[in-house]
Amino acid sequence: MQYAYLGSTDIKVSRLCVGCMSFGDPASRMHAWTLDPDRTEALVAHALELGINFFDTANTYSAGTSEQYLARALQKHVPRDRVVIATKVYFNEGHLSRAAILREIDGSLQRLNTDYVDLYIIHRFDYDTPMEETMEALHDVVKSGKARAIGASAMYGYQFHNLQIIARENGWTPFVSMQNHYNLLYREDERELIPLCKQMGVSLTPYSPLAAGRLARANWSADTLRSQTDKTARGKYDGTQQQDAAIAQKVSELAQGYGVSMSQIALAWLFKKGVTAPIIGATRETHFDDAAAALNVRLTDEDTASLEALYQPHRIVGAL
């Protein structure tokens, strides 16, 4: 496994991050395909064996049971200071108001059974709360020792810029990571958000790096419970299938040429673009094995150009 630091912090993370939206009680009605505590533990244990130390969850994933299942698994297999835990706040009452942030961090810590998280991420931009209120509250969370650092997720570049400037002008904690929507089928953040993050020394930890499987298999759809029931993924990708299927086909051709899987090509492209740690939402141990092998795939500039040549602009998916 390879490792890197988040932004300018001393938080050292694996180059792959376990996406914990796959864990949780399906009775929460968030997703029908989430894993129970025992399967969660098996996947977490396998990730740890591979050297993965970075785990990303959220307060609202499966009504909080994702955090609970992750805590149970980690506590059985690894000391707390050997892993990096990230969780999120926004899709809750009060969004990013001070009261909501202070309430939700305590709820997450209780479910995670820990005194602190390594990375506390705002899940979206809050149009209803003054940015100063949000950034000061996040700073106070860090000052209190409940989080080591803060990160942001899908938003527009100008919004992220404004939040960072407010933090800088007030001497508050800035964001060190950006978890945005980024893969070969969706590259809209290359226009502003990603260059801004690189300018500010902010690490990229994108979600949906395999476009919910569209970049990991020869066929656009799959006969799995997730493919059949994941309305969010269908909304992200199926509307542009006609233009994007050719990109997936190019990934398949390149994978065959290198003798590797499609997912390894798609992830290798992200690494070549400067991504620190893509979020891998696995439901089987082999998904992690496959992702880890991508760290050994080296794409040429010609490979990259061929993968990118067919891209067409998309509507914004992620930022609200």
Side-chain angles (χ1 to χ4, degrees):
M1 183 52 57
Q2 299 174 14
Y3 300 87
Y5 290 100
L6 284 179
S8 59
T9 73
D10 62 353
I11 301 174
K12 195 173 186 178
V13 298
S14 50
R15 297 293 307 280
L16 297 172
C17 179
V18 174
C20 300
M21 192 171 70
S22 301
F23 309 152
D25 186 353
S28 69
R29 298 187 179 182
M30 180 176 183
H31 296 297
W33 43 267
T34 52
L35 305 181
D36 65 22
D38 291 340
R39 283 297 296 142
T40 295
E41 182 182 343
L43 258 70
V44 168
H46 191 69
L48 292 169
E49 289 174 1
L50 291 172
I52 299 173
N53 73 343
F54 192 11
F55 297 83
D56 174 84
T57 184
N59 59 343
T60 55
Y61 286 171
S62 295
T65 59
S66 171
E67 291 178 324
Q68 293 172 339
Y69 289 11
L70 175 63
R72 175 183 181 270
L74 290 176
Q75 286 158 16
K76 287 189 176 183
H77 293 277
V78 67
R80 172 66 183 89
D81 61 0
R82 296 284 300 277
V83 292
V84 176
I85 299 175
T87 195
K88 307 185 197 72
V89 57
Y90 173 82
F91 292 107
N92 43 255
E93 182 182 353
H95 296 312
L96 299 182
S97 67
R98 179 177 182 82
I101 287 172
L102 299 183
R103 179 189 69 239
E104 294 300 321
I105 184 63
D106 286 343
S108 286
L109 293 179
Q110 182 177 18
R111 289 186 292 273
L112 288 164
N113 196 18
T114 183
D115 295 329
Y116 69 97
V117 292
D118 300 275
L119 185 64
Y120 199 42
I121 301 170
I122 59 170
H123 219 151
R124 291 295 188 273
F125 181 82
D126 186 355
Y127 290 89
D128 298 322
T129 301
M131 290 182 286
E132 292 81 1
E133 178 179 341
T134 293
M135 296 309 294
E136 184 175 23
L138 292 171
H139 178 65
D140 288 344
V141 168
V142 174
K143 281 200 309 179
S144 71
K146 295 179 180 180
R148 295 173 64 192
I150 60 172
S153 188
M155 62 183 62
Y156 293 102
Y158 80 92
Q159 295 168 334
F160 186 64
H161 176 269
N162 288 342
L163 292 169
Q164 289 286 70
I165 295 302
I166 286 170
R168 179 189 301 172
E169 290 179 345
N170 288 278
W172 295 333
T173 305
F175 296 114
V176 301
S177 69
M178 169 54 68
Q179 187 179 132
N180 61 314
H181 183 200
Y182 190 39
N183 57 55
L184 272 165
L185 303 187
Y186 184 84
R187 295 167 46 201
E188 295 308 295
D189 285 349
E190 289 180 349
R191 302 174 189 276
E192 293 186 1
L193 182 61
I194 290 175
L196 177 63
C197 288
K198 291 181 177 180
Q199 175 185 317
M200 292 184 162
V202 172
S203 295
L204 299 174
T205 63
Y207 67 85
S208 199
L210 301 178
R214 274 79 175 166
L215 291 169
R217 57 179 179 256
N219 297 321
W220 189 265
S221 300
D223 187 21
T224 64
L225 181 60
R226 178 171 185 178
S227 293
Q228 294 169 358
T229 62
D230 194 339
K231 296 179 181 178
T232 300
R234 290 203 298 269
K236 286 180 184 175
Y237 301 114
D238 288 0
T240 54
Q241 177 180 352
Q242 185 173 359
Q243 69 189 57
D244 291 340
I247 300 173
Q249 179 61 35
K250 181 62 69 173
V251 173
S252 178
E253 293 171 3
L254 201 57
Q256 292 177 33
Y258 274 95
V260 300
S261 69
M262 288 178 63
S263 62
Q264 288 173 34
I265 294 296
L267 291 173
W269 176 81
L270 284 171
F271 292 131
K272 190 172 177 62
K273 301 297 283 189
V275 164
T276 296
I279 309 293
I280 308 299
T283 53
R284 293 197 295 267
E285 288 86 345
T286 53
H287 293 162
F288 289 136
D289 296 331
D290 199 34
L295 290 162
N296 299 319
V297 177
R298 298 288 183 269
L299 299 179
T300 67
D301 291 341
E302 290 181 356
D303 294 333
T304 301
S306 70
L307 289 169
E308 296 177 356
L310 296 172
Y311 186 78
Q312 298 178 42
H314 287 53
R315 65 181 178 87
I316 300 298
V317 178
L320 298 176

